[in-house]
């Protein structure tokens, strides 16, 4: 009886192997472990790596509830969307809605996680998703086609902003980003795409204008920027929120829009319509992008989901 009791105690004390343990034993990341165990589509994992992960999982006895369910059903029913904190507003809402609706049509559910700098692996370990959709990575991949031409992704949408400004006579432009550019990886991606787009449409100079959230800091920052760059005649903003910060700062500085400086936003949210004059912005067919991403995450044909082109919503600011 005593030996049996000790055996039960020892069994309870034994630590269950985690995805991190399997990753450490096989020399890969926990995300790779999840992809291998779930046989996730669109993942380029070598046969040698796959065999190493499976062997480590078997030796450690790693069979979490999520994987057991996936083995019974043939796949996990969760798709994880990993968002940078800067992803917000109309386009992201539309993208998420399209992703969620399309996944629901195929019997899956969407779990949205805003990164905030915390590691992704514990979330993957806990929910064992069928696929992880990283929006920043997808937008980055959509920068240009193999032949050097632009494709209809974020790069093309940023290009729509700058094309509109160039066609209305602006060739020295500021690209307004939220706060500290260095602290926002996705802002860096947007800036790189904006620079490539500027070169492709004939913008001869593109300056960076960080715009803090704080009202007084934004006003001071915009004022200092204009003093240093009097040649700038227009601003293309990261999104409508940043565009409205710029507009508020310009009004406080006594500047006329678009007379002294033209401003164009991104996302065409309803908030811009409340400014006087209404904000000129770019509308994106984000919901279609979300539906296409859902099909791709599930390994389904997405050829019939074709997002429409970005369009400029005319206001009175650019």
């Amino acid at each position: 009886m005593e030996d049996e009791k000790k055996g039960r105690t020892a069994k309870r004390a034994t630590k269950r192997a985690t995805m991190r343990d399997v990753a450490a034993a096989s020399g890969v990341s926990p995300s790779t472990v999840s992809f291998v165990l779930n046989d996730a589509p669109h993942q380029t994992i070598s046969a040698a790596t796959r065999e190493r992960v499976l062997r480590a999982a078997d030796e450690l006895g790693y069979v979490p509830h999520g994987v057991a369910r996936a083995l019974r059903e043939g796949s996990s029913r969760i798709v994880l969307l990993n968002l940078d904190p800067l992803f917000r507003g109309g386009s992201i809402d539309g993208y998420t809605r399209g992703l969620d609706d399309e996944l629901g049509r195929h019997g899956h559910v969407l779990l949205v996680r805003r990164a905030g700098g915390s590691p992704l692996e514990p979330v993957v370990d806990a929910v064992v998703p069928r696929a992880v959709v990283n929006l920043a990575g997808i937008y980055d991949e959509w920068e240009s086609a193999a032949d050097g031409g632009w494709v209809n992704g974020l790069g093309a949408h940023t290009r729509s902003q700058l094309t509109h400004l160039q066609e209305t006579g602006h060739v020295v432009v500021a690209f307004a980003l939220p706060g500290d550019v260095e602290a926002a990886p996705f802002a860096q991606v947007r800036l790189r795409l904006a620079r490539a787009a500027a070169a492709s449409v004939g913008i001869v100079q593109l300056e960076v204008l960080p715009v803090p959230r704080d009202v007084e800091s934004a006003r001071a920052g915009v004022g200092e920027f204009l003093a240093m760059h009097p040649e700038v005649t227009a601003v293309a903003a990261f999104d409508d929120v940043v565009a409205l910060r710029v507009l508020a700062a310009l009004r406080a500085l006594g500047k006329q829009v678009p007379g002294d400086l033209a401003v164009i936003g991104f996302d065409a949210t309803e908030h811009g319509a409340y400014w006087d004059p209404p904000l000129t912005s770019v509308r994106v067919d984000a919901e279609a992008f979300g539906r296409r991403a859902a099909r791709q995450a599930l390994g389904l044909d997405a050829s019939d989901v074709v997002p429409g082109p970005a369009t400029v919503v005319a206001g009175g600011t650019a």
Side-chain angles (χ1 to χ4, degrees):
M1 179 66 72
E2 187 66 25
D3 289 342
E4 184 180 346
K5 184 176 180 180
K6 287 180 180 180
R8 289 197 300 267
T9 302
K11 188 175 181 179
R12 285 196 300 268
T14 300
K15 179 179 178 291
R16 182 179 69 86
T18 68
M19 189 174 292
R20 287 179 179 276
D21 296 328
V22 177
S26 54
V28 299
S29 71
S31 296
T32 299
V33 173
S34 175
F35 295 145
V36 170
L37 293 178
N38 285 286
D39 198 20
H42 306 299
Q43 301 296 328
T44 54
I45 300 172
S46 69
T49 298
R50 185 179 298 276
E51 181 181 352
R52 193 165 66 249
V53 169
L54 293 174
R55 184 171 58 250
D58 182 61
E59 291 174 352
L60 293 171
Y62 176 70
V63 186
H65 295 302
V67 173
R69 183 182 65 250
L71 291 172
R72 288 196 304 270
E73 298 181 358
S75 66
S76 170
R77 294 289 171 176
I78 297 173
V79 171
L80 176 64
L81 173 61
N82 192 46
L83 290 182
D84 185 289
L86 287 180
F87 282 119
R88 64 187 175 205
S91 292
I92 300 309
D93 292 344
Y95 180 92
T96 304
R97 184 168 56 252
L99 185 63
D100 191 26
D101 287 349
E102 191 67 20
L103 288 173
R105 290 183 62 242
H106 298 282
H108 287 67
V109 295
L110 176 66
L111 175 62
V112 179
R113 173 186 180 270
R114 294 195 173 272
S118 58
L120 177 63
E121 286 80 3
V123 182
V124 173
D125 186 39
V127 302
V128 195
R130 168 156 184 181
V132 177
V133 179
N134 189 324
L135 197 54
I138 291 174
Y139 273 177
D140 200 7
E141 291 169 2
W142 290 344
E143 180 185 349
S144 62
D147 61 0
W150 289 86
V151 296
N152 190 23
L154 185 59
H157 303 331
T158 304
R159 192 170 188 257
S160 298
Q161 283 183 303
L162 298 174
T163 297
H164 178 79
L165 293 178
Q166 191 275 337
E167 289 177 346
T168 51
H170 303 281
V171 294
V172 181
V173 175
F175 193 69
L177 293 168
D180 183 359
V181 180
E182 298 300 327
F186 178 55
Q188 289 286 354
V189 172
R190 284 292 302 274
L191 177 58
R192 178 170 56 77
L193 296 177
R195 283 174 171 157
S200 75
V201 302
I203 300 294
V204 300
Q205 185 176 339
L206 186 74
E207 299 292 342
V208 180
L209 171 58
V211 187
R213 181 187 299 269
D214 175 73
V215 174
E216 293 299 326
S217 298
R219 183 182 306 166
V222 171
E224 292 172 5
F225 176 87
L226 294 179
M228 293 177 61
H229 301 283
E231 71 279 14
V232 169
T233 62
V235 175
F238 177 86
D239 59 14
D240 284 2
V241 172
V242 174
L244 289 170
R245 291 183 199 172
V246 173
L247 289 172
L250 292 174
R251 176 168 291 179
L253 294 167
K255 301 292 185 180
Q256 298 297 311
V257 177
D260 295 324
L261 204 70
V263 178
I264 183 170
F266 188 93
D267 263 352
T269 62
E270 69 276 13
H271 307 300
Y274 289 95
W275 193 262
D276 184 21
L279 174 65
T280 301
S281 191
V282 173
R283 176 175 290 125
V284 179
D285 188 9
E287 189 167 332
F289 278 108
R291 291 189 180 280
R292 187 173 72 175
R295 296 270 192 95
Q296 292 170 335
L298 300 179
L300 303 174
D301 178 28
S303 60
D304 62 331
V305 184
V306 182
T311 57
V312 174
V313 179
T317 63

